[in-house]
Amino acid sequence: MSHPLFERHRATLDAALVAIRERGYWSAYPEMPSPRAYGETAAADGQAAFEAHLNTAFELDQPGTVGRVGRERSPFGFDLGITYPRADVDVLLPAMQAAMPAWRRLGAEGRAGVCLEILARLNRKSFEIAHAVQHTTGQAFMMAFQAGAPHAQERGLEAVAYAYRAMTEQVPSALWEKPQGKQDPLRMEKTYTVMPRGVGLVIGCCTFPTWNGYPGLFASLVTGNAVLLKPHAGAVLPMAITARVCREVLAEQGLDPNLVALAVNEPGSPLASTLALRPEVRIIDFTGSTANGDWLERNATQAVVYTEKAGVNSVVIDSTNDFKGLVRNLAFSLALYSGQMCTAPQNLYIPRDGIDTEDGHKRFDEVAQALAAGVDKLLGDTARAVEVLGAIQNEGVVRRLESAAELGRVVLASRAIEHPQFPAATVRTPVLLALDAARDEAVFTHEHFGPIAFCIATDGTAQSIELCKRVIQQHGAITAAVYAADAAVIEAMREAMLDAGVALSENLTGGVFVNQSAAYSDFHATGANPAANAALTDSAFVANRFRVVQSRRHV
Amino acid sequence: MSHPLFERHRATLDAALVAIRERGYWSAYPEMPSPRAYGETAAADGQAAFEAHLNTAFELDQPGTVGRVGRERSPFGFDLGITYPRADVDVLLPAMQAAMPAWRRLGAEGRAGVCLEILARLNRKSFEIAHAVQHTTGQAFMMAFQAGAPHAQERGLEAVAYAYRAMTEQVPSALWEKPQGKQDPLRMEKTYTVMPRGVGLVIGCCTFPTWNGYPGLFASLVTGNAVLLKPHAGAVLPMAITARVCREVLAEQGLDPNLVALAVNEPGSPLASTLALRPEVRIIDFTGSTANGDWLERNATQAVVYTEKAGVNSVVIDSTNDFKGLVRNLAFSLALYSGQMCTAPQNLYIPRDGIDTEDGHKRFDEVAQALAAGVDKLLGDTARAVEVLGAIQNEGVVRRLESAAELGRVVLASRAIEHPQFPAATVRTPVLLALDAARDEAVFTHEHFGPIAFCIATDGTAQSIELCKRVIQQHGAITAAVYAADAAVIEAMREAMLDAGVALSENLTGGVFVNQSAAYSDFHATGANPAANAALTDSAFVANRFRVVQSRRHV
C-alpha cells in the first residue's frame, strides 16, 4: 500500500517524470494570478496574510532558539519590521539529525508524497509568497508571483521528479542467482536502501529566494536529508513562510518538523560560512557571489557543494530579418527586473561596421541607439515601467549604476522613476554603454550586476563569437544569445557556446526572452562554465544527495 | 542509422541496462579461463604475449614522450624489466584535449559502441592481462584472471551502462509549445547536447589495477572525455596493455588515439599529485591510501574527484547455526590474496563470553582457535595454499606483517611458504591476533593492510554492533558482515550498518565471501563512509562526468 500522499499526488509526479524526459512544455501550478485558478478571495487573502506578517515576530517553534533577528526592508521603500528566531545551531543541528531516521524509513514514495503535498500547500499560498518576494527582492508583483510562487514550485517539483527517478533506478530488493555448473546455484537476496547524507544547507540570494532555493530544498529533502534554510538577510520572509509550510505538513504527517528549519542572520553578521563548515552539514546549495561560491567549493569539503555564481551573460548580434523584433525583445530583457536576473544579458557584441537587417544595413551606433530607443519606449509610460522594472534590491546596485557612466560612452543614461504606488521605492532605468572590444576588455569581463549593459564594438562576428566564448570560459555565464540571418553564423555560435558550456537562445524576437528558463524543459545553468558548478535541475544535481547501502543474505 | 559498433554490441548494452536495474546475476564475459570460452590456444597465447613483454620497451606512440621509465618487479620474485614512455604532460595533455571534439560529436551511441568494442578486445586478451595482473599485484593466477580480466571488464561495462543511461535520460531535441490563450502558442525547438568536462585522470592502485581502474576509465571515456591512466608504479603493465587496446580501437575507428594515454612514474618519483592539479584535468578517479585520497578531495578542486581509500572491514559474530561453515567461510576470506583486498575483513568482534552454535556454546578463545585452525587447514597443502594466498605485493605489507605480533596476543602466527613454481616469491600466511575492545581501540581503529586480522573481545553483541558502527563511521569500511542465528540481532546489525553506510553480508557460510562484489548487483563501496566518496558503480559516479548544454530557437 502506497503512502496516501503519494497516491494523492501520483499523477502530478508521473507527469513531471515524463516532462523531464520529453522536455516539452508542461506545468503543474497555474502561472496566472487569476481568481479562476486560485479562487475569488485568493488575491485579497494573500495580501492580508502578507500584511499580517509586517511588524510582528515570525514564530517557527524551532528548538535552539535564542532571541530574535531580522532587519528586512522592502526595495519599495518601507521596513518589514519582522523578526525571526535566532538559531543556536549547536542545538538545532542535532535536532535536525535526530529527525532523519523516521524520514528515511518513510521511503522514496512517502517522502515524494510529503514533498508534493508541501508544494501544493505552497501553491495555495502563492499570493502571500508573491507579496513576500516582491517586498524583499524588489520584483514587480507579476514577476514576484510567477517566478516567486508557481515557477519556483515547478522547479521544486522538477527536483522531486529527478530525485525520485534517481532513487528508484534500482529495485529495492533482488534475487541474485549464479549458476554453478551441475551444482545448485548460489542464491542470495539483496536489499538496497536509499540513505541520506546528513543536513542539507540552502544558502539563498536576495533576488530569487524561492526560485533558486526550492530546487536544493526539495532535492535534499526528498532524498531523506534534513534541510536548513539560510536565506539572504535581505530576503528572509519568503523562505520563512516556506519553512513554516514544510514544518506544518511534516507535523501533520506525524513526522518531526525539524526536518526543515530556518537560520537567519542580519546584514553584516555572516552566518553562512559558519554553517557551511559544520560537520553535520553534508550538502550545500548556494546562490550568490563568485567569491563566496568559490570559497564554499574549496573549503566546505565535508559536503557536496552546488553553486550558482556570477557570470557575464552575452549576446552576439550578427544580422537579423526582424530588427524591430530584435530591439523589442532585447529591450525587454535588459529592463526586466532592472537587469537583476542572473540570466539578464550584459555584453552585446556588435560588429563596429554594423549589421545587415531586413531594413538595410545599420551602423553600430544605429543598433545601439535603436536598443536605447527600444528601452525608452518600453519604459515611457511610468505605470508600465514600474511593472517591468520593479525596484532596485540594494544600495550596492544603486552605487554600481551611478558610477557606470564612467565605464564607457553612455548610449542611454539611467534615470530614476517615481513609483506611483510606492513613492519611496528605488526605481531606476537601465544604463546602456558603448565599449570597444580591444580597448575595454577589463570592463566587460566581469559581472556588473544590475541594469547595466554594454554594446561592444568588435572587428566582426568572428571576433564577437570568439570573444564571447573566451569570456564565458574564463568568467562564466548563465545565458547566451545570438541574432543572425545566416545559418552558418548560427551554427558557428552553437559550436562556440557548446565549448563555452552555456545555454544558447537563437533569434529571439517574439514572446520568449533570453532571461527566461522553463522548468522541465530548460536546464538553468549548465555546470560547464564558471558561473555555476551545477544545473537546475539534472541528474548530477540529485544523484549524490543520497547513497545506496545494501545488505545480502543467502536464501 | 546507428553507429556500426553500437549495433554490434547493442544486445550486450541492453542486457547490462536491465541488469543494473534488476540487479540479479548477469555476466557478459566468461569468468572461467576455459578453452571452451576463450579458445584452445588462448591460454598459451596469453602467456606467450605476457612473456614477450618482459625485458622490452613497451611502445605506445604517444605525443610528448621523453625517454622511458619503469621498474616493476613481480611479487613472485623477478623483475619485469619493462620500460614505458615517459610523458611530457605539457605536450600530452593538450593533445588529449584536441582529441575530444570529434569524440564528443560521435554521440552517446557511437561512444558506447566504441567502448564496448574496447571491452570485447580486452576480453580476448584476458589471459595476457591475467599474467600481467598476477606479476604486478601478486594475485594467484585464477584470481588475476577473474578479477583482473572478465570481472574488471564487467565493471567497465557496468560503468558504460550507467553512463549511457544517464546521457540518454532526456531526448536529444524537443518541441516546446506553450499555450497563449487565444493567441498562437509559443513554439520552440530545443537541442540538448552532452558535453564532456575535460581530461579524466585515473590514478591506480597496485593490487587491483584493472578492476578498480576500469570503472573510472570507461565512465569518463564514454561520456566524451579523454582519459589519462596513471597506474601505480608497481602495477603498470595491465593498464599499459589496456591503453594500447583503447588506442588501437580508437585509431581503427578513425578517432584520435590520444583520447586514452598512459603516464608512468617510478617508485619514489610522485606524479599523480602533479597531474591532479593540472587545469586540463577535470575528473579524477583514485584508488589508494586515505592520506592521498583526502589530499585529492581537498586540493584538486578544479576537478570532480572520486576516491576509494582505506577502511576497517568488520565482522560481528554473535551466534550461528553452522559454525563449521562460518569458520570455513571466514578462513577463506582472511587468506584470499593474503588479505590484500580492499574488501578483506580485519576486525572480528566476538563476545568475550563466547557465542552459541549448533554445536553448543563456544568460548571466545575457542572461536578464535577455530578460525586459526580453519586458516591452517585451508593452507595446509602448499600447492593449494599458494593458489589462495598469491604473493605479498610489496615490502610494506611484509614489514607490517612482521611487526604485527606486537599488536596483541597471537592466536595464529604468520609463516612463510615456499612457492613450488616461483621460489623467490614472497608468500606469507595470515596472522590472527586476539584484542580487547576496551584496551586495544588504538590498534583496531585503522587499517592494517595485508593478512592481519583481529579477534576483538567485546562485552557482548550490543557492544560489538555499536563499536563496529562507530569505527566505520569514523574510519570507514568497504564491507561488513554479521553472523547471528537470531533475527533480531541481524535486524539490529542491518540498521547499524545502514547508519554506518556500509554494505552488509549476513551469515555467509557457503560459496559467497564477504570479499566478493558482483558487478551489476553489488554496489562496491557506498560513498557513505570515510572509506570512499563514491560507489562502483552508481548514477552519482557517472552523472557529473558530463554536462548537458542546450540551444533553443523559435519554429
Side-chain angles (χ1 to χ4, degrees):
Chain A
M1 181 60 195
S2 287
H3 193 282
L5 289 180
F6 184 76
E7 288 307 319
R8 183 185 298 173
H9 298 292
R10 182 170 219 158
T12 303
L13 179 62
D14 285 345
L17 287 165
V18 171
I20 60 174
R21 172 174 293 280
E22 302 298 333
R23 305 200 80 80
Y25 172 79
W26 183 72
S27 161
Y29 310 109
E31 70 176 358
M32 295 310 291
S34 74
R36 203 160 41 125
Y38 286 91
E40 289 300 329
T41 64
D45 293 349
Q47 178 149 10
F50 165 71
E51 286 169 0
H53 290 302
L54 300 177
N55 303 305
T56 65
F58 192 102
E59 298 295 350
L60 271 174
D61 193 26
Q62 290 181 177
T65 293
V66 282
R68 307 200 58 89
V69 62
R71 214 167 66 206
E72 292 161 290
R73 180 175 171 80
S74 170
F76 293 93
F78 57 91
D79 291 329
L80 301 197
I82 307 172
T83 63
Y84 303 92
R86 185 195 296 273
D88 176 352
V89 292
D90 289 328
V91 176
L92 182 57
L93 286 171
M96 298 178 73
Q97 288 182 307
M100 286 170 55
W103 181 232
R104 183 259 291 170
R105 278 194 285 269
L106 196 62
E109 290 194 355
R111 291 193 301 270
V114 171
C115 285
L116 285 163
E117 178 63 20
I118 291 170
L119 284 162
R121 302 278 183 99
L122 289 170
N123 182 247
R124 275 183 247 154
K125 283 184 180 286
S126 287
F127 280 92
E128 177 184 349
I129 291 170
H131 287 286
V133 169
Q134 174 177 12
H135 288 294
T136 49
T137 67
Q139 291 173 23
F141 180 78
M142 181 59 101
M143 176 187 265
F145 184 89
Q146 295 192 331
H151 291 178
Q153 294 147 17
E154 309 279 11
R155 283 288 178 195
L157 172 56
E158 184 183 37
V160 171
Y162 265 98
Y164 180 79
R165 182 169 77 179
M167 288 189 286
T168 55
E169 269 177 343
Q170 69 285 319
V171 293
S173 66
L175 178 69
W176 179 86
E177 197 163 9
K178 182 175 179 178
Q180 298 291 297
K182 289 168 190 161
Q183 299 182 312
D184 284 345
L186 294 169
R187 299 178 80 231
M188 301 199 85
E189 178 194 68
K190 305 189 181 189
T191 307
Y192 308 99
T193 304
V194 168
M195 293 295 293
R197 295 189 80 94
V199 174
L201 173 67
V202 177
I203 303 173
C205 64
C206 59
T207 47
F208 289 90
T210 53
W211 198 95
N212 276 86
Y214 283 3
L217 161 59
F218 285 98
S220 281
L221 190 61
V222 77
T223 48
N225 304 281
V227 180
L228 182 57
L229 302 172
K230 208 304 287 178
H232 190 282
V236 177
L237 184 58
M239 291 307 263
I241 296 170
T242 301
R244 179 182 280 175
V245 170
C246 291
R247 294 174 62 87
E248 280 173 1
V249 172
L250 289 163
E252 281 173 24
Q253 293 298 316
L255 293 156
D256 189 330
N258 295 324
L259 287 165
V260 178
L262 186 74
V264 180
N265 65 318
E266 285 184 347
S269 307
L271 177 61
S273 53
T274 308
L275 294 174
L277 300 185
R278 292 284 301 208
E280 300 93 336
V281 169
R282 302 301 309 280
I283 306 168
I284 298 175
D285 289 274
F286 167 85
T287 310
S289 73
T290 295
N292 289 345
D294 288 349
W295 184 89
L296 287 169
E297 291 175 25
R298 292 200 185 112
N299 291 281
T301 50
Q302 90 289 356
V304 291
V305 178
Y306 305 92
T307 59
E308 185 184 318
K309 301 171 284 188
V312 182
N313 299 321
S314 303
V315 183
V316 167
I317 303 177
D318 169 78
S319 54
T320 180
N321 290 323
D322 181 5
F323 188 65
K324 280 200 185 65
L326 176 158
V327 166
R328 218 168 32 228
N329 189 283
L330 275 182
F332 187 78
S333 283
L334 294 170
L336 186 61
Y337 184 30
S338 313
Q340 296 171 114
M341 302 179 74
C342 57
T343 50
Q346 173 183 297
N347 288 5
L348 317 179
Y349 299 101
I350 306 164
R352 70 179 85 255
D353 291 343
I355 67 168
D356 287 332
T357 78
E358 81 284 9
D359 197 27
H361 193 81
K362 305 271 184 194
R363 287 177 294 109
F364 174 88
D365 273 345
E366 287 177 299
V367 177
Q369 287 300 340
L371 286 167
V375 172
D376 257 348
K377 187 176 169 196
L378 174 68
L379 305 177
D381 174 67
T382 297
R384 177 176 171 187
V386 297
E387 294 311 317
V388 174
L389 292 168
I392 302 295
Q393 206 279 333
N394 61 67
E395 268 306 302
V397 177
V398 174
R399 281 196 299 274
R400 203 174 298 122
L401 187 55
E402 285 175 351
S403 59
E406 303 155 17
L407 299 173
R409 176 163 59 85
V410 174
V411 179
L412 175 69
S414 173
R415 59 190 173 87
I417 290 182
E418 183 166 325
H419 197 293
Q421 188 187 352
F422 302 103
T426 311
V427 183
R428 297 286 187 279
T429 66
V431 63
L432 192 58
L433 300 146
L435 300 180
D436 183 88
R439 195 185 55 213
D440 299 317
E441 186 160 327
V443 175
F444 63 75
T445 50
H446 61 98
E447 183 179 87
H448 299 257
F449 187 79
I452 301 166
F454 307 120
C455 295
I456 302 167
T458 68
D459 295 342
T461 295
Q463 190 196 23
S464 294
I465 294 176
E466 192 51 39
L467 195 53
C468 177
K469 172 172 129 178
R470 177 166 59 79
V471 171
I472 293 174
Q473 285 177 328
Q474 291 172 357
H475 306 283
I478 307 279
T479 63
V482 62
Y483 289 90
D486 181 346
V489 172
I490 296 283
E491 188 50 41
M493 183 69 175
R494 230 179 259 172
E495 275 298 301
M497 295 304 97
L498 286 175
D499 287 339
V502 67
L504 175 66
S505 295
E506 301 165 11
N507 288 326
L508 297 187
T509 52
V512 174
F513 304 93
V514 68
N515 321 34
Q516 296 174 326
S517 178
Y520 319 107
S521 181
D522 291 321
F523 291 100
H524 175 75
T526 63
N529 71 58
N533 80 352
L536 304 183
T537 295
D538 64 8
S539 287
F541 186 71
V542 300
N544 209 7
R545 292 177 194 258
F546 65 91
R547 308 302 315 164
V548 179
V549 180
Q550 70 171 55
S551 57
R552 59 182 185 177
R553 62 207 67 87
H554 281 289
V555 283
Chain B
M1 181 59 194
S2 287
H3 193 282
L5 289 180
F6 184 76
E7 289 306 321
R8 183 185 299 174
H9 299 291
R10 183 170 218 158
T12 303
L13 180 60
D14 285 345
L17 287 165
V18 170
I20 60 175
R21 172 173 292 281
E22 301 298 332
R23 304 201 81 79
Y25 172 79
W26 183 71
S27 161
Y29 310 110
E31 71 175 356
M32 294 309 292
S34 73
R36 204 161 40 126
Y38 287 91
E40 289 301 327
T41 65
D45 294 349
Q47 178 149 10
F50 166 70
E51 286 169 0
H53 290 302
L54 300 177
N55 303 304
T56 64
F58 192 103
E59 298 294 350
L60 272 174
D61 193 26
Q62 289 180 180
T65 293
V66 283
R68 307 200 58 86
V69 62
R71 214 167 68 207
E72 291 161 291
R73 179 174 172 80
S74 170
F76 293 92
F78 57 91
D79 291 330
L80 301 196
I82 307 173
T83 63
Y84 304 91
R86 185 195 295 271
D88 176 353
V89 291
D90 289 328
V91 175
L92 182 57
L93 285 171
M96 297 178 74
Q97 287 181 309
M100 286 170 54
W103 181 232
R104 184 259 291 170
R105 279 193 285 269
L106 195 61
E109 290 195 355
R111 291 194 302 271
V114 171
C115 285
L116 285 162
E117 178 65 19
I118 290 170
L119 284 162
R121 302 279 184 99
L122 288 169
N123 183 248
R124 276 182 246 156
K125 282 185 181 284
S126 287
F127 280 92
E128 178 184 347
I129 291 169
H131 287 285
V133 168
Q134 174 177 13
H135 289 293
T136 49
T137 67
Q139 291 172 24
F141 179 78
M142 181 59 101
M143 178 189 264
F145 184 90
Q146 295 192 332
H151 290 178
Q153 293 147 18
E154 308 279 11
R155 283 288 177 194
L157 172 55
E158 185 183 36
V160 171
Y162 266 98
Y164 179 80
R165 182 169 76 181
M167 288 188 287
T168 55
E169 269 177 343
Q170 70 284 320
V171 293
S173 66
L175 178 68
W176 179 86
E177 198 162 10
K178 182 176 180 179
Q180 299 291 295
K182 290 168 189 161
Q183 298 182 313
D184 285 346
L186 294 169
R187 299 177 81 232
M188 300 200 86
E189 177 193 71
K190 305 190 181 189
T191 307
Y192 309 98
T193 305
V194 169
M195 293 295 293
R197 295 190 80 94
V199 174
L201 173 65
V202 177
I203 303 173
C205 64
C206 59
T207 47
F208 289 90
T210 54
W211 198 96
N212 276 88
Y214 283 4
L217 161 59
F218 285 98
S220 282
L221 190 62
V222 77
T223 48
N225 305 280
V227 180
L228 182 57
L229 303 172
K230 208 305 286 176
H232 190 281
V236 177
L237 184 58
M239 291 308 264
I241 296 169
T242 301
R244 181 182 277 174
V245 170
C246 291
R247 294 174 62 86
E248 280 172 3
V249 172
L250 289 163
E252 281 172 26
Q253 293 298 316
L255 293 156
D256 189 331
N258 296 323
L259 287 165
V260 179
L262 186 74
V264 179
N265 65 317
E266 285 185 348
S269 307
L271 177 61
S273 52
T274 309
L275 294 173
L277 300 184
R278 292 283 304 208
E280 300 94 337
V281 169
R282 303 300 309 280
I283 306 168
I284 298 174
D285 289 273
F286 167 86
T287 311
S289 72
T290 295
N292 289 345
D294 288 349
W295 184 90
L296 287 168
E297 291 174 24
R298 292 199 185 114
N299 291 281
T301 49
Q302 89 289 356
V304 291
V305 177
Y306 306 91
T307 59
E308 185 185 319
K309 302 171 285 189
V312 181
N313 299 321
S314 304
V315 183
V316 167
I317 304 177
D318 169 78
S319 54
T320 181
N321 290 322
D322 180 5
F323 188 64
K324 280 199 186 64
L326 176 158
V327 166
R328 221 170 27 231
N329 188 283
L330 275 182
F332 187 78
S333 283
L334 295 171
L336 186 62
Y337 185 29
S338 314
Q340 296 171 112
M341 303 179 73
C342 57
T343 50
Q346 172 183 298
N347 288 5
L348 317 178
Y349 299 99
I350 305 165
R352 69 179 86 255
D353 291 343
I355 66 169
D356 287 331
T357 78
E358 80 283 10
D359 195 26
H361 193 79
K362 305 271 185 194
R363 286 177 294 112
F364 174 87
D365 274 343
E366 286 177 300
V367 176
Q369 286 300 340
L371 287 166
V375 172
D376 256 348
K377 187 176 168 195
L378 174 68
L379 304 176
D381 174 67
T382 298
R384 178 176 169 188
V386 297
E387 294 311 318
V388 174
L389 292 168
I392 302 294
Q393 206 279 333
N394 62 68
E395 269 305 302
V397 176
V398 174
R399 279 198 300 273
R400 203 174 298 122
L401 187 54
E402 286 173 352
S403 59
E406 302 156 17
L407 298 173
R409 177 165 57 87
V410 174
V411 178
L412 175 68
S414 173
R415 59 191 172 87
I417 290 181
E418 182 164 327
H419 196 294
Q421 189 188 353
F422 301 104
T426 310
V427 183
R428 298 285 187 279
T429 65
V431 63
L432 193 58
L433 299 147
L435 300 180
D436 183 89
R439 195 185 54 214
D440 299 317
E441 186 159 327
V443 175
F444 62 76
T445 49
H446 60 98
E447 183 180 86
H448 298 258
F449 188 78
I452 301 166
F454 307 120
C455 295
I456 302 167
T458 68
D459 295 342
T461 294
Q463 189 195 23
S464 294
I465 293 175
E466 193 51 39
L467 194 53
C468 176
K469 171 172 131 178
R470 176 165 60 80
V471 171
I472 293 174
Q473 285 178 327
Q474 291 172 357
H475 306 284
I478 308 277
T479 62
V482 61
Y483 289 91
D486 180 347
V489 172
I490 296 281
E491 188 50 42
M493 182 69 175
R494 230 178 258 170
E495 274 298 301
M497 295 304 97
L498 286 175
D499 287 340
V502 67
L504 176 66
S505 295
E506 301 165 11
N507 288 326
L508 298 187
T509 52
V512 173
F513 304 92
V514 68
N515 322 35
Q516 295 174 327
S517 177
Y520 318 108
S521 181
D522 292 320
F523 292 100
H524 175 76
T526 62
N529 71 58
N533 79 353
L536 305 181
T537 296
D538 64 9
S539 287
F541 186 71
V542 301
N544 209 8
R545 292 177 195 258
F546 65 91
R547 308 302 314 164
V548 179
V549 181
Q550 71 172 54
S551 57
R552 60 183 185 176
R553 60 207 68 86
H554 281 288
V555 284

